Amino acid sequence: MTDTLTITRPDDWHLHVRDGAALQAVVPHSAAQFGRALIMPNLRPPVTTAQQAVDYRQRILDAVPAGTAFEPVMSLYLTDKLPPEEIERAAAAGVKALKLYPAGATTNSDAGVTDIRKTYATLEAMQKLGLLLLVHGEVTDPAVDLFDREAVFIERVMIPLRRDFPELKVVFEHLTTQEGAQYVRDADRFTGATITAHHLLYNRNAIFTGGIRPHFYCLPVLKRETHRLALVEAATSGSPRFFLGTDSAPHPAHLKEHAFGCAGCYTALSAMELYAQAFDNSGALDKLEGFASFHGADFYGLPRNSGTITLKREAWTVPETVPYGEATLKPLCGGEQLAWKLVA
Ligand code: NCD
Ligand code: ZN
């Protein structure tokens, strides 16, 4: 039995850090775990220009504790009207990706894309300049059941998109279904996917065990057990298409424990411990390094990190709350014991 695991310093390819006091509270947690993180642009207002991304990146860097090396990799928020010229400015400023939120799909997505065809000139520029398209892969059609929105997105959006832009690198973010996992597994090298720790560890029963449990509510929502098993199989398969993206999405506890509770699980505090648990559960700890430290960097065309982290099999209790500006934040698994601990 492996009790100590040292791997190349991992990256988080899907992270929400918000702004202001919230940003100050959460950035140190990610910086302690990861070498880099792809920063999601769904602020209010969203990050839609290269200049906003450059300024946001600096605010994130200012919140990284002294002596810690942590690099925010920036993305812009794709809208119906984002001009192709902005893609040139973004590429020149080091922005790596654009995030496609179907309008209304999730937190701060009202400025999102209403019809992907409206963005084709911009996608053309991205394909040419090598910027990635990160997709929130759910349709918003109210006639489609919430639990089927990812599968329907493949048919209605992904397949036509891949046909029209075969060399655009596309990341299917936070996969949650067997259909999504199969689609990405069988796709060519221009398609990849992130998988969260919570979708590897929990199925939808977690939201309803002993009462409604808002801290397990995120989007795309947790699915049934067959889907969780398909995600575990994909993540531990060694396929370079699948890589780590926590989708850690902080919200003040009082806005999650609310009649209209916000979507998002806060996992950044113990991200690698949660992934280690998921991989250990299926006897696949030897596959964690590829998933967490290599596949994402390779897909983004960035160098792999040079340092390492070490995880130890050592029980510890996740804090129930952490400060979050004037509010509090409840990490996923707060108050519970985890078997793995990040020690260096
Ligand atoms: C994210 C957030 O809160 O910004 N919420 C979530 O449930 N994952 C948005 C998103 O990534 O969908
Ligand atoms: Zn997200």
Side-chain angles (χ1 to χ4, degrees), residues 14 16 40 99 101 174 247:
H14 186 131
H16 301 268
M40 287 292 152
K99 178 72 187 282
Y101 290 101
H174 40 50
D247 194 16

Side-chain angles (χ1 to χ4, degrees), residues 15-32 39-44 47 52-65 70 72 74 248-252 266 268 322-327 329:
L15 179 66
H16 301 268
V17 294
R18 316 304 186 201
D19 212 341
L23 180 153
Q24 305 295 328
V26 298
V27 166
H29 298 161
S30 290
I39 306 298
M40 287 292 152
N42 62 332
L43 302 181
R44 266 184 199 282
V47 181
Q52 287 172 337
V54 168
D55 295 345
Y56 185 30
R57 181 170 188 275
Q58 190 56 49
R59 296 198 295 282
I60 298 167
L61 285 172
D62 291 344
V64 175
F70 178 72
M74 305 311 290
S248 177
H251 291 278
Y266 188 64
V322 290
Y324 189 62
E326 312 254 281
L329 182 58

Side-chain angles (χ1 to χ4, degrees), residues 31-114:
Q33 301 238 342
F34 296 102
R36 290 169 290 204
L38 187 290
I39 306 298
M40 287 292 152
N42 62 332
L43 302 181
R44 266 184 199 282
V47 181
T48 52
T49 68
Q51 189 57 50
Q52 287 172 337
V54 168
D55 295 345
Y56 185 30
R57 181 170 188 275
Q58 190 56 49
R59 296 198 295 282
I60 298 167
L61 285 172
D62 291 344
V64 175
T68 307
F70 178 72
E71 198 188 321
V73 182
M74 305 311 290
S75 65
L76 297 188
Y77 188 113
L78 186 64
T79 66
D80 288 350
K81 294 200 181 98
L82 194 114
E85 306 79 64
E86 198 60 35
I87 299 303
E88 284 166 36
R89 287 190 282 274
V95 171
K96 294 287 174 225
L98 277 88
K99 178 72 187 282
L100 163 66
Y101 290 101
T106 187
T107 310
N108 297 354
S109 65
D110 26 305
V113 170
T114 59

Side-chain angles (χ1 to χ4, degrees), residues 208-236:
F208 306 104
T209 301
I212 192 150
R213 306 267 296 261
H215 296 284
F216 285 98
Y217 173 58
C218 65
L219 289 170
V221 74
L222 294 169
K223 304 295 191 298
R224 64 167 70 236
E225 179 66 2
T226 46
H227 295 292
R228 188 189 71 81
L229 291 171
L231 298 174
V232 169
E233 194 190 317
T236 60

Side-chain angles (χ1 to χ4, degrees), residues 99-144:
K99 178 72 187 282
L100 163 66
Y101 290 101
T106 187
T107 310
N108 297 354
S109 65
D110 26 305
V113 170
T114 59
D115 178 352
I116 193 163
R117 278 165 299 195
K118 293 187 177 163
T119 70
Y120 267 26
T122 304
L123 298 183
E124 200 70 65
M126 289 166 57
Q127 179 169 254
K128 197 167 126 228
L129 292 170
L131 269 75
L132 281 71
L133 179 68
L134 317 179
V135 299
H136 182 111
E138 291 191 289
V139 295
T140 54
D141 181 349
V144 178

